[in-house]
Amino acid sequence: MKYFRLLIGIGVLGLGACHRNLPTASTPATPATPKPVTPIPTTSPPSINTTTPLASPNPLIPNVTPLPAPAIIVPPLPARVGDYQVIDELKQPQFMAQSRDILKAGSLPNTKVKFNAIDLLVVLKSTRKYFRNTLDSDPDLQREGILGTQGVKVTDILKTLDFMVLTIQQDLKAKRPIRLQDPKFLNSNFRTIQWTAFNPTATDEKRVRMTKYAVFTHRGSRTPTKEFNAGLYALKSGTDIDGIRLKYTKQDVLKNIYEPEGQEFGTVEPLAYLDREGLESALMQGTVLIKFPDGKSAFFNVDRNNNIPYIKGLAPTEQKRYWYFKPVTAIKGFGQTIETKISLKPGVTFAGDVLNIGLGRIVVTENSLDGKPQLRMGIIADTGGAFLPNLHQLDFLAGVFDNKDDFAAYTRKLPEYTKAYILVKR
């Protein structure tokens, strides 16, 4: 966008020119023949009354009231307009963002990048597989997001994933140092785009906020009990899945509409039952590990929801969004269906804004420890209602924890804000 600035120099110059044309006093010359001279009054000349009409010397011209001197009006500069339209979960426009204030060319410091190569390889391969299998059917994958303003195409993201998978595989096979941990290798082979956080409600913080999430272990039951009465349900194939899932809120489900006494009994499949705290944790984190009374345990992951958006600032218990689950063998992230969801690993996975930042974007975070930079690499392979839209935050998958105290003790060592870079293959 171009910006126009009003120049008022001409007005100032005009005022100066008026002052230069004012008459100056002079001493009269002595006449050849002296004549009596009437003294010049020393009093100031009368001021002009701008509100009283002046008498016109020509009777055909009416008396005229002089106009006041025009004021110099400086209109305000136009509001800064962004070049990228930020959308929400329902693909509705929310606000404009100025990409040059958010993304710019950068360079990684000369410090080894930390990550577990095998875990990162799992998530890279799973993300690449999701792109390959669903690129034509999932419009979210076709979005370039704000990186598109920097000339980054979806094909560049695929090239980045392919190159990283191949590089790690080669290094593991050759049993040599992982080249993706070498900042010189990264700076040579990737565009390093520094990401400055943009939050329209808190514009002072330029670092990316790094929250943390986890999979929690909860006690539960396969049948409802007095203690465990909040159900996890799976949608049944062969039924009107959309007709069921889009019809009810979380509060409706908690009224036992899917239990024998409810009006929708038999339309979904009960998987497990938790207490209310366990249910809210499962809905918030997306994956839960349930320990059953017989000593067995199982992972359950969100499958599809009722299309009710997550409302920021509203208490979790008041949210109307409800997720239907399916049993899984690993932590799962983004995906259209449970069968295609991306497999996640803690320590190398971020949840983020997959519509405006983008799925599969490689992120390197930088923090300082004892004055030395510390770098960590991960991939955006998950999302959530709190991230749509969100250009200022990432959610770090910390691990699987038995309780919130263990989780808090672990994440207390991690930074709350971070400098962030996005890597794109050259």
Side-chain angles (χ1 to χ4, degrees):
M1 299 288 291
K2 295 183 179 179
Y3 298 92
F4 298 91
R5 186 171 296 173
L6 178 65
L7 300 178
I8 62 173
I10 295 176
V12 174
L13 180 61
L15 292 174
C18 291
H19 285 290
R20 286 195 295 272
N21 290 332
L22 290 175
T24 57
S26 60
T27 302
T30 302
T33 305
K35 293 182 179 181
V37 178
T38 303
I40 300 174
T42 58
T43 56
S44 301
S47 60
I48 297 176
N49 187 340
T50 59
T51 61
T52 303
L54 298 178
S56 173
N58 189 335
L60 298 179
I61 301 177
N63 294 341
V64 178
T65 301
L67 295 175
I72 299 177
I73 301 175
V74 181
L77 293 175
R80 193 167 190 176
V81 178
D83 59 353
Y84 176 75
Q85 177 68 70
V86 180
I87 64 171
D88 64 10
E89 185 175 6
L90 300 179
K91 313 298 190 299
Q92 297 301 308
Q94 291 299 303
F95 55 87
M96 296 295 293
Q98 185 60 255
S99 64
R100 69 165 175 257
D101 295 336
I102 301 172
L103 304 173
K104 65 179 181 179
S107 180
L108 297 178
N110 190 25
T111 301
K112 182 178 179 180
V113 184
K114 295 182 179 180
F115 58 84
N116 182 298
I118 295 177
D119 287 348
L120 181 58
L121 181 60
V122 168
V123 187
L124 286 170
K125 291 174 67 176
S126 185
T127 305
R128 184 62 183 91
K129 180 180 178 181
Y130 184 75
F131 269 95
R132 185 167 54 247
N133 293 342
T134 59
L135 182 59
D136 294 334
S137 61
D138 187 346
D140 292 346
L141 297 187
Q142 301 165 19
R143 287 186 54 82
E144 296 170 353
I146 195 169
L147 285 170
T149 64
Q150 309 301 304
V152 178
K153 307 295 184 184
V154 175
T155 53
D156 296 315
I157 303 304
L158 301 181
K159 184 168 64 173
T160 301
L161 296 174
D162 287 339
F163 180 78
M164 287 192 156
V165 168
L166 180 62
T167 301
I168 295 178
Q169 287 177 332
Q170 290 175 341
D171 293 345
L172 290 175
K173 184 177 180 180
K175 297 181 180 180
R176 64 191 180 200
I178 304 300
R179 287 171 287 172
L180 295 181
Q181 294 181 327
D182 181 357
K184 294 181 180 178
F185 179 85
L186 294 175
N187 285 327
S188 297
N189 288 275
F190 296 86
R191 288 179 60 189
T192 303
I193 302 173
Q194 186 174 331
W195 171 13
T196 299
F198 176 67
N199 182 351
T201 63
T203 57
D204 291 339
E205 182 56 66
K206 303 303 181 184
R207 295 171 299 168
V208 172
R209 186 184 180 198
M210 194 171 79
T211 51
K212 297 87 185 173
Y213 73 116
V215 174
F216 287 104
T217 301
H218 288 278
R219 293 170 51 244
S221 172
R222 297 191 185 277
T223 56
T225 67
K226 184 177 181 180
E227 180 181 6
F228 305 118
N229 52 21
L232 298 186
Y233 300 100
L235 296 165
K236 278 186 177 181
S237 59
T239 62
D240 182 8
I241 290 178
D242 287 345
I244 292 296
R245 72 181 180 92
L246 301 178
K247 188 175 181 180
Y248 298 109
T249 67
K250 176 174 65 177
Q251 288 71 24
D252 293 329
V253 174
L254 289 171
K255 292 176 182 177
N256 294 329
I257 60 172
Y258 295 134
E259 295 304 310
E261 67 275 17
Q263 68 268 31
E264 296 291 352
F265 176 65
T267 57
V268 298
E269 178 185 353
L271 296 175
Y273 295 85
L274 299 164
D275 59 19
R276 182 63 183 272
E277 180 183 356
L279 173 67
E280 297 296 346
S281 174
L283 294 174
M284 179 66 68
Q285 306 302 332
T287 305
V288 61
L289 178 61
I290 300 180
K291 289 185 176 180
F292 295 105
D294 59 5
K296 295 181 179 180
S297 61
F299 281 109
F300 298 90
N301 195 89
V302 292
D303 178 25
R304 303 187 208 180
N305 63 44
N306 55 2
N307 274 19
I308 297 178
Y310 180 90
I311 301 175
K312 296 178 182 179
L314 187 65
T317 54
E318 301 300 317
Q319 299 285 345
K320 295 184 177 182
R321 167 179 282 187
Y322 181 81
W323 281 93
Y324 295 86
F325 284 73
K326 277 193 176 182
V328 292
T329 57
I331 306 173
K332 295 293 183 179
F334 186 84
Q336 286 181 315
T337 65
I338 199 67
E339 292 78 19
T340 61
K341 283 181 181 290
I342 298 171
S343 296
L344 307 181
K345 290 289 185 180
V348 293
T349 299
F350 294 109
D353 187 337
V354 296
L355 298 179
N356 297 293
I357 297 296
L359 184 74
R361 277 49 170 178
I362 305 299
V363 177
V364 175
T365 62
E366 176 190 347
N367 295 95
S368 180
L369 180 63
D370 298 328
K372 298 180 180 179
Q374 304 290 309
L375 302 181
R376 179 191 296 271
M377 183 185 292
I379 179 173
I380 299 178
D382 201 1
T383 192
F387 299 96
L388 300 169
N390 192 321
L391 297 179
H392 64 274
Q393 181 182 357
L394 287 170
D395 211 12
F396 176 68
L397 178 57
V400 180
F401 297 89
D402 286 335
N403 53 66
K404 292 184 178 179
D405 290 339
D406 291 346
F407 173 64
Y410 176 80
T411 57
R412 200 174 293 123
K413 307 175 223 178
L414 300 175
E416 185 177 357
Y417 291 90
T418 184
K419 194 173 181 179
Y421 307 87
I422 299 173
L423 302 184
V424 180
K425 183 70 177 69
R426 291 186 187 276

